Amino acid sequence: MQSFVFDHIPNNNIAYFALYSPVQNPAELKRRIIEAAKIEGEEGDKERDAVNFAFIDASLITSKLHLETAIYQAILAESQGSLRTKTVHSEILFALNPTNNITEAIRRYGVSDSTKSLLIAHITDKSKSSSAIEEKLNKVVDGTMVSFKELDAITDWDRIKKYYKLEKESKEKGAIQSQRSFIDNVVVSSVAMKTVMQ
Amino acid sequence: MSASQNLIKSSHLVSQGAEAASRLSFPCLQKYQCPKVYKAHLTPDSPPLLLKYRFQKQYRHPSLDVNLTRSRIAGEARALLKCLRSGVNVPGIRMVDATEGVLGIEWIEGQSVRKLLPGESEGDDEGEGEVGEEPTDEEKLDALKEYGVSIDQLMSLIGTEIAKMHLADVIHGDLTTSNMILRRPSSSSIPDIPTQTQLFLIDFGLSYTSSLIEDKAVDLYVLERAFSSTHPDSSLMFTGVLAAYQKKMGEKRWGVVKARLDDVRLRGRKRSMVG
């Protein structure tokens, strides 16, 4: 499990993240997250705490910088009280999607029945250790935690091109490596400037 | 104290003082609206960022100030993204905090073209504070060699990049040799591919979108004037810029821009207000 530490943010400044591939129980996971939102009372709080993570479809993430940028914009929004979704974790999914439609963001970038690899992030403060979070995570996710480097083989560049409407532009870049670095740069920039997009 | 304020505190200022003189300079003609520029890291391991901070102006009503700052940052970010999508070499956007007035962009390791071309007239740096020793023309040429390009090649890089930007209908609004950075060949984002030296356009603070020939011609005219005032004997260099611009734009588009540029040269940047 790795982390981003944003020292200059006053509270909740650590984001732990891990890549799981393959994931065996995406359908169950999705159902559980939806159920957790509906349960009332103490039991509901407990269940919500159990799935208190951002579950991101790893095939739509281009690089570590991409993930970092989305997490940073979400933490920034939380610290300013300007979240546009209900939690900082759903805000990450919202930041990743190029449009302002929250349902679409969660459908595209969240966990779905067919998800094979997940990037899971948890935003917290210094009081929690990574092992405590890892333990909690392993109770919910049935899958193998792999090194972040494996992302290279997971990223679905064609789908990202489609979502960001970059099919024509990236073709002009020639070599596959320069195409990818071009897409990554546009995607990271779009995530970073989402708050001033339109 | 807000997150972005803390970020700025933890970073260091580059647009003022000696550091700036060696790398980046934002010649503050309109000193009162000049944003401060910092180098920062979001996390200790992440790549460096350039923060452009439009601080709050005490002389403006707070709500007007927030609105203006927000729309300027939005404008700059949109122009950058438009350029990025069209393949113009500009720094990528890394973070935006419009409420606090902070725009974080990719840090380009390199040197501004102004510092690489011979003949910078000295009176130009008025008000820029403690500018370090200016390198001599020979030192500048040596520095240019480090980047593996000749002056002619540099001019053609400039012309091509501006043409790419104009083809995307983005008008820079403040083209000068200080607003162009030659990136060190080694500092590419993808290490596996040996990349040639690239020219980056920076500072889109005065940019806007337009498809008018007039705006493109004025953009070129502004650069021509910048060349002749900062680099003496530069008319040949500027011819090189235009030649590359012409090649990238294509004959048809170039024909109209050229005709208009000749008009603009006769009358200056501002359109005649007579009649």
Side-chain angles (χ1 to χ4, degrees):
Chain A
M1 188 159 248
Q2 287 176 279
S3 63
F4 295 123
V5 183
F6 304 104
D7 280 322
H8 55 278
I9 305 258
N11 305 303
N12 287 342
N13 58 359
I14 299 186
Y16 290 104
F17 63 98
L19 177 61
Y20 279 78
S21 183
V23 175
Q24 321 291 356
N25 64 341
E28 186 208 328
L29 209 53
K30 184 182 168 191
R31 191 187 48 78
R32 213 175 147 184
I33 299 165
I34 297 170
E35 286 303 311
K38 294 180 187 157
I39 309 172
E40 285 168 22
E42 208 174 298
E43 198 188 332
D45 289 341
K46 229 169 127 187
E47 182 64 12
R48 277 190 286 279
D49 183 59
V51 291
N52 190 16
F53 295 96
F55 296 95
I56 307 160
D57 187 336
S59 65
L60 292 173
I61 302 298
T62 54
S63 63
K64 199 168 181 172
L65 189 63
H66 185 200
L67 180 68
E68 180 186 327
T69 309
I71 290 178
Y72 186 73
Q73 289 299 128
I75 292 183
L76 198 63
E78 193 195 29
S79 78
Q80 296 177 333
S82 57
L83 285 180
R84 276 156 305 168
T85 62
K86 289 193 175 169
T87 70
V88 68
H89 291 127
S90 53
E91 192 79 4
I92 298 176
L93 299 179
F94 179 71
L96 286 168
N97 192 36
T99 73
N100 278 325
N101 185 328
I102 297 174
T103 316
E104 184 186 85
I106 292 174
R107 198 178 56 231
R108 281 179 175 179
Y109 288 83
V111 53
S112 73
D113 293 357
S114 58
T115 306
K116 290 184 189 73
S117 313
L118 278 177
L119 251 169
I120 303 174
H122 182 73
I123 291 165
T124 181
D125 53 36
K126 287 194 173 67
S127 66
K128 281 196 200 155
S129 72
S130 74
S131 54
I133 288 159
E134 208 172 314
E135 196 182 315
K136 212 167 112 188
L137 190 52
N138 281 330
K139 280 186 198 147
V140 222
V141 186
D142 179 9
T144 329
M145 196 195 284
V146 294
S147 150
F148 194 84
K149 288 193 199 88
E150 304 291 318
L151 186 70
D152 280 353
I154 293 169
T155 307
D156 183 349
W157 294 93
D158 287 338
R159 234 167 101 214
I160 296 166
K161 265 192 266 184
K162 203 178 119 207
Y163 289 168
Y164 279 88
K165 302 192 173 70
L166 285 170
E167 285 105 333
K168 200 174 124 261
E169 288 85 350
S170 67
K171 225 176 247 162
E172 291 161 9
K173 295 280 148 190
I176 199 97
Q177 271 305 328
S178 22
Q179 276 196 30
R180 288 181 178 177
S181 102
F182 164 75
I183 297 169
D184 181 46
N185 202 8
V186 172
V187 167
V188 171
S189 299
S190 307
V191 172
M193 70 164 287
K194 172 125 193 205
T195 51
V196 289
M197 198 67 153
Q198 224 40 264
Chain B
M1 198 174 245
S2 80
S4 292
Q5 295 282 349
N6 280 333
L7 178 61
I8 286 167
K9 263 177 97 182
S10 71
S11 53
H12 67 267
L13 196 62
V14 290
S15 78
Q16 286 167 6
E19 174 93 21
S22 67
R23 192 188 165 267
L24 257 182
S25 62
F26 284 77
C28 308
L29 290 171
Q30 302 121 314
K31 202 86 194 163
Y32 54 91
Q33 54 176 330
C34 179
K36 288 186 177 167
V37 175
Y38 300 83
K39 185 179 187 176
H41 292 263
L42 287 186
T43 75
D45 311 317
S46 45
L49 301 183
L50 184 138
L51 295 181
K52 212 171 160 181
Y53 176 38
R54 293 173 188 273
F55 50 90
Q56 206 193 333
K57 308 296 186 302
Q58 296 303 328
Y59 53 81
R60 274 201 299 242
H61 188 278
S63 61
L64 173 67
D65 191 72
V66 167
N67 265 327
L68 279 176
T69 304
R70 194 183 171 80
S71 63
R72 285 184 184 153
I73 289 198
E76 186 165 355
R78 282 179 207 151
L80 282 172
L81 188 68
K82 198 163 186 216
C83 285
L84 281 172
R85 291 185 68 102
S86 319
V88 186
N89 290 338
V90 296
I93 307 159
R94 295 297 177 252
M95 66 142 300
V96 173
D97 182 350
T99 342
E100 291 290 333
V102 181
L103 174 72
I105 56 176
E106 185 186 354
W107 181 267
I108 309 286
E109 196 57 58
Q111 182 68 275
S112 90
V113 171
R114 183 187 190 188
K115 306 275 175 214
L116 291 168
L117 287 181
E120 178 166 280
S121 26
E122 263 172 40
D124 256 22
D125 288 327
E126 294 177 81
E128 219 174 281
E130 34 190 301
V131 176
E133 299 243 326
E134 277 296 319
T136 64
D137 287 356
E138 286 80 48
E139 278 166 8
K140 283 178 179 172
L141 285 178
D142 281 348
L144 198 54
K145 251 181 229 150
E146 233 182 84
Y147 290 85
V149 289
S150 65
I151 288 193
D152 289 348
Q153 283 168 321
L154 179 57
M155 293 308 122
S156 122
L157 285 174
I158 295 174
T160 312
E161 228 47 54
I162 297 174
K164 269 156 60 181
M165 182 181 76
H166 282 177
L167 285 172
D169 286 342
V170 176
I171 310 298
H172 187 283
D174 187 21
L175 281 177
T176 64
T177 43
S178 327
N179 285 340
M180 299 166 184
I181 291 188
L182 207 53
R183 172 147 87 174
R184 281 190 202 288
S186 55
S187 71
S188 160
S189 49
I190 23 173
D192 335 348
I193 311 179
T195 44
Q196 62 275 57
T197 305
Q198 286 176 307
L199 181 97
F200 277 72
L201 299 177
I202 58 162
D203 195 2
F204 283 73
L206 293 174
S207 68
Y208 56 97
T209 308
S210 162
S211 55
L212 295 181
I213 304 299
E214 166 77 15
D215 293 325
K216 293 175 186 176
V218 167
D219 223 18
L220 288 174
Y221 176 70
V222 167
L223 180 64
E224 186 177 26
R225 293 299 296 262
F227 255 94
S228 62
S229 64
T230 35
H231 312 288
D233 306 322
S234 61
S235 57
L236 256 179
M237 291 198 259
F238 195 71
T239 314
V241 172
L242 288 185
Y245 182 87
Q246 172 178 10
K247 199 172 157 206
K248 188 75 197 176
M249 287 292 263
E251 283 310 320
K252 214 172 133 202
R253 289 193 199 87
W254 164 246
V256 275
V257 175
K258 164 133 192 12
R260 187 58 70 97
L261 180 60
D262 291 338
D263 280 358
V264 178
R265 277 176 180 143
L266 289 176
R267 68 169 150 84
R269 185 167 63 87
K270 297 268 196 287
R271 257 180 206 272
S272 168
M273 284 296 146
V274 183

